[in-house]
Amino acid sequence: ANMKLKLGTGILIVVPIPKEHSTSGSFICINDNFYGIFFREQNIEGSAETPFLLSRVNHLIGGASLASSIL
């Protein structure tokens, strides 16, 4: 339907990981304003933001997010 309507937007399809591999959202508290400022200060922009953010989250929770992503 998205393509037929020619909206020019993307589609995100997600499948939850098994509960035994998930982590609590309370492990991660990301302040959008902080990262927005940090990205600007470090000249991180565009497509470089997501890999940086995923790497940072993985570091903060001791590798659990990477292990979950590999499933």
Side-chain angles (χ1 to χ4, degrees):
N2 186 302
M3 289 184 198
K4 286 182 181 180
L5 292 172
K6 299 180 181 176
L7 298 175
T9 59
I11 301 172
L12 177 62
I13 300 172
V14 297
V15 177
I17 64 171
K19 188 172 181 117
E20 65 269 16
H21 297 290
S22 66
T23 60
S24 169
S26 64
F27 278 118
I28 306 166
C29 180
I30 298 173
N31 182 312
D32 290 338
N33 290 327
F34 169 77
Y35 277 102
I37 292 167
F38 185 82
F39 287 156
R40 283 192 299 277
E41 288 176 352
Q42 301 297 315
N43 294 318
I44 299 170
E45 24 179 67
S47 62
E49 291 179 6
T50 300
F52 171 82
L53 191 55
L54 291 174
S55 174
R56 185 72 183 132
V57 167
N58 189 54
H59 173 74
L60 290 172
I61 61 174
S65 65
L66 180 60
S68 296
S69 295
I70 294 173
L71 296 175

